[in-house]
Amino acid sequence: MKIVVIGGSGLIGSKLVIKLREHGHEAVAASPNSGVNTLTCEGLAEALKGASVVVDVSNSPSWEDTAVLKFFETSTRNLLTYEAAAGIGHHVALSVVGTERLFESGYFRAKIAQEKMITNSVIPYSIVRATQFFEFLKGLADISVDGDKVRVPPVLFQPMAADDVASSVARIAVGPPVNGIVEIAGPEQFRVDELVRERLAALKDPREVIADPEARYSGAKVSLTTLMPDKTARLGETRFQTWLTQSAAQNPSRKVS
Ligand SMILES: NC(=O)c1ccc[n+]([C@@H]2O[C@H](COP(=O)([O-])OP(=O)(O)OC[C@H]3O[C@@H](n4cnc5c(N)ncnc54)[C@H](OP(=O)(O)O)[C@@H]3O)[C@@H](O)[C@H]2O)c1
């Protein structure tokens, strides 16, 4: 089966392309890097020719409110239009657990817009909502910086390894469209401040992490359970400590990443 991975050069996309190929599929990594741009439509028709499934794991280069909304609205509109013309039978998109509860955030308003366009389109679809990736913990610290400190809310979340995200998305991409939302999450629950602190310590990043009940998550107010998945979420296998040990072994000399 030919499967086009939009954002195939990214964190999830590159892992997804490898997994799909390992299972015998013709996975095409499509992104500006390889001449396919969902904003300008460059290379899109050619990439979709003969494909059965499109998986969108792209992300906006800018997370500024207006820019990110424009990215997801324009790229999703273009993708769905070209997919209809190419007779694509399954559109899979990666979104985030709790998206609809995070509307105070410009980034999440853009993800809500992306999800709505997919739901309203004629293309059969599966929206996969994942929890925060372990790989994003440092990024989370970076977007939560206040002077020389990191302020995050002491709320619950159930993050997961990017490898497990890619495995789940691959499984869903080769199955029938669910025409709905599937949630995926990690096997353990943590408090955001505890895990960000632990990640920064492992990276020898000296920034102090403050558990601040007033701190926002990506610009949105959150309650204790806003970021938590449903009880029905499919769980990945990789535990945080296992991932931490593996990533330290892969990047022994890296101080901050
Ligand atoms: N971070 C988290 O914890 C988290 C949790 C749940 C869900 N998600 C979702 O996961 C998705 C993927 O995230 P990621 O971290 O894997 O992304 P990433 O590593 O930042 O990769 C982004 C990808 O988007 C591509 N891209 C950018 N502009 C494009 C364009 N105009 N046309 C086509 N492709 C374009 C990039 O291509 P080039 O390399 O060629 O520029 C790159 O392949 C996002 O939609 C995000 O909302 C993230």
Side-chain angles (χ1 to χ4, degrees):
M1 179 153 64
K2 179 175 172 184
I3 301 170
V4 177
V5 180
I6 303 292
S9 60
L11 173 65
I12 302 300
S14 52
K15 293 176 185 292
L16 179 59
V17 165
I18 292 170
K19 286 179 195 292
L20 290 169
R21 285 182 185 157
E22 280 171 358
H23 284 86
H25 297 287
E26 184 195 345
V28 176
S31 76
N33 230 333
S34 55
V36 182
N37 191 320
T38 51
L39 296 179
T40 62
C41 301
E42 181 200 350
L44 203 47
E46 189 57 32
L48 297 194
K49 214 174 270 173
S52 307
V53 180
V54 170
V55 185
D56 183 6
V57 287
S58 65
N59 209 351
S60 174
S62 164
W63 290 12
E64 185 274 320
D65 286 8
T66 314
V68 68
L69 183 63
K70 195 166 173 223
F71 176 87
F72 279 112
E73 280 185 340
T74 310
S75 65
T76 306
R77 184 182 312 112
N78 289 339
L79 259 181
L80 294 170
T81 304
Y82 277 71
E83 286 177 31
I88 300 295
H90 190 184
H91 177 93
V92 181
L94 185 56
S95 191
V96 190
V97 161
T99 286
E100 82 286 7
R101 301 187 286 270
L102 294 161
F103 52 87
E104 287 179 340
S105 155
Y107 184 82
F108 285 96
R109 283 196 295 278
K111 295 299 284 185
I112 290 169
Q114 177 191 20
E115 288 190 357
K116 268 202 186 131
M117 291 173 99
I118 295 166
T119 312
N120 292 336
S121 91
V122 295
I123 317 271
Y125 69 93
S126 303
I127 293 172
V128 185
R129 283 187 178 170
T131 54
Q132 291 67 32
F133 313 151
F134 294 150
E135 288 79 355
F136 177 59
L137 289 168
K138 168 152 187 304
L140 181 48
D142 293 342
I143 62 167
S144 310
V145 153
D146 179 16
D148 58 352
K149 301 197 187 334
V150 170
R151 284 183 192 279
V152 287
V155 299
L156 300 174
F157 73 157
Q158 207 167 311
M160 65 191 298
D163 223 29
D164 288 344
V165 176
S167 298
S168 282
V169 173
R171 226 170 284 130
I172 290 162
V174 300
V178 299
N179 293 315
I181 293 168
V182 177
E183 287 200 349
I184 59 174
E188 307 160 284
Q189 176 181 304
F190 298 96
R191 252 177 45 191
V192 169
D193 56 307
E194 286 169 353
L195 218 62
V196 172
R197 194 173 295 117
E198 198 166 335
R199 180 64 181 135
L200 293 192
L203 291 167
K204 301 193 175 20
D205 184 325
R207 288 175 294 177
E208 185 186 353
V209 178
I210 313 274
D212 179 353
E214 298 304 315
R216 291 175 172 241
Y217 176 82
S218 186
K221 265 190 225 138
V222 284
S223 74
L224 189 65
T225 56
T226 303
L227 303 178
M228 286 294 287
D230 275 353
K231 287 200 166 44
T232 55
R234 302 177 189 180
L235 304 186
E237 284 178 0
T238 312
R239 301 177 81 83
F240 180 67
Q241 284 304 332
T242 310
W243 175 84
L244 203 56
T245 309
Q246 284 167 354
S247 62
Q250 279 160 13
N251 300 304
S253 61
R254 210 154 156 200
K255 273 198 152 180
V256 176
S257 74

